[in-house]
Amino acid sequence: MDEGTKAVPSAAPEAEASPDLSRLRLDVYAGRDGWWNPEHGLVALPDDWDFLPTGNAFVTRTVKAAGAFWLAWAPRSRSQQHRRLQGLWAPTAVIENAWRLEGETAAARAVRREAGSRSRAVREERYERGLAEAIVGYLRFAPEHAALAETIARAAAQRAAVVGSGRVGRTRVLALDARAELSARAQIRHQHTDYDVRLDELWLLGEADVFYRDVKAEAQELVDEFIRRHR
């Protein structure tokens, strides 16, 4: 390098700009010193943000769909093994708009819920009626016992088809005829044999686990005899 030439210092690398956390979707936890995030440490809440507690699904979904938000969690502790969602932080204007939309659409959503409820009720009534008809077809009682068959079918279908009951009437694994047979036999077993009484006695004696299979097998034979007697 010539003596007359001065070295030009190289430019210092620019400091990396910190991310704008208000544009991100974060999980933040309530701590002793404020809110913190596992990746960013303590975070400062933006001035124009507000807190929306859990409880209103429509407002929460609307706020989340609008953009950035921070899910606010209560962290695990000695007395609480799992973190608990408290709500979320989001721009105040977004939360206020979500509440406004909630009020404006409440009536329309209520109408849709009512329509859905009526539609489900119609479907359930239709299914229960079809199951009852299938039960009558399975029983094939003699004409003089037709009224009894209808009574058993209605009660069996109503009991077996309860939504969320987990009973045989709710399964779609079995064909309708199979559901009808099992529903009818269960109704007769419970209402026209001493099955329940004998089970209660076994429970009182503490022997239900030992003799349950025997009692149920005998009840099945009684059900067969009941059906034969009325055909």
Side-chain angles (χ1 to χ4, degrees):
M1 180 183 298
D2 296 338
E3 293 182 359
T5 304
K6 295 183 179 180
V8 178
S10 59
E14 295 183 1
E16 184 178 350
S18 58
D20 182 0
L21 300 183
S22 67
R23 298 179 181 273
L24 303 179
R25 298 181 177 184
L26 302 178
D27 288 312
V28 295
Y29 297 83
R32 188 179 309 170
D33 300 320
W35 294 93
W36 61 275
N37 170 267
E39 181 179 352
H40 300 285
L42 284 175
V43 293
L45 290 168
D47 294 335
D48 59 346
W49 280 31
D50 203 352
F51 182 70
L52 174 67
T54 59
N56 189 300
F58 176 85
V59 175
T60 299
R61 286 196 305 270
T62 303
V63 170
K64 286 182 175 181
F69 58 86
W70 297 354
L71 292 178
W73 300 89
R76 291 176 297 202
S77 64
R78 290 182 179 178
S79 60
Q80 184 69 37
Q81 296 184 351
H82 304 283
R83 65 179 187 172
R84 289 173 291 112
L85 183 63
Q86 297 178 318
L88 58 80
W89 292 95
T92 301
V94 171
I95 294 176
E96 291 177 348
N97 183 61
W99 279 114
R100 180 181 59 78
L101 290 175
E102 198 273 344
E104 291 177 352
T105 62
R109 286 184 286 115
V111 170
R112 289 196 298 271
R113 283 196 302 270
E114 178 64 23
S117 178
R118 287 197 302 270
S119 178
R120 286 190 299 272
V122 169
R123 289 198 304 271
E124 290 303 319
E125 182 181 357
R126 186 183 304 122
Y127 172 67
E128 190 175 311
R129 186 167 58 249
L131 180 59
E133 292 173 355
I135 291 172
V136 171
Y138 163 74
L139 292 174
R140 301 193 313 277
F141 281 2
E144 61 267 28
H145 301 302
L148 177 60
E150 292 286 348
T151 299
I152 292 173
R154 284 195 301 270
Q158 186 177 27
R159 182 178 186 276
V162 173
V163 177
S165 65
R167 293 171 183 152
V168 66
R170 299 311 312 177
T171 183
R172 291 296 187 268
V173 176
L174 300 174
L176 179 62
D177 289 346
R179 279 176 263 160
E181 177 181 350
L182 292 174
S183 300
R185 295 183 67 84
Q187 180 67 19
I188 294 171
R189 184 171 66 247
H190 288 292
Q191 297 298 322
H192 297 278
T193 75
D194 62 350
Y195 173 74
D196 288 338
V197 174
R198 295 189 63 188
L199 275 189
D200 289 342
E201 292 174 350
L202 289 179
W203 280 112
L204 290 174
L205 295 173
E207 298 177 339
D209 293 339
V210 179
F211 296 106
Y212 170 74
R213 291 180 183 274
D214 294 336
V215 171
K216 188 166 185 178
E218 292 174 8
Q220 295 287 38
E221 294 178 0
L222 293 174
V223 170
D224 290 336
E225 175 58 27
F226 181 92
I227 294 174
R228 282 194 299 270
R229 196 165 63 248
H230 291 86
R231 282 180 171 172

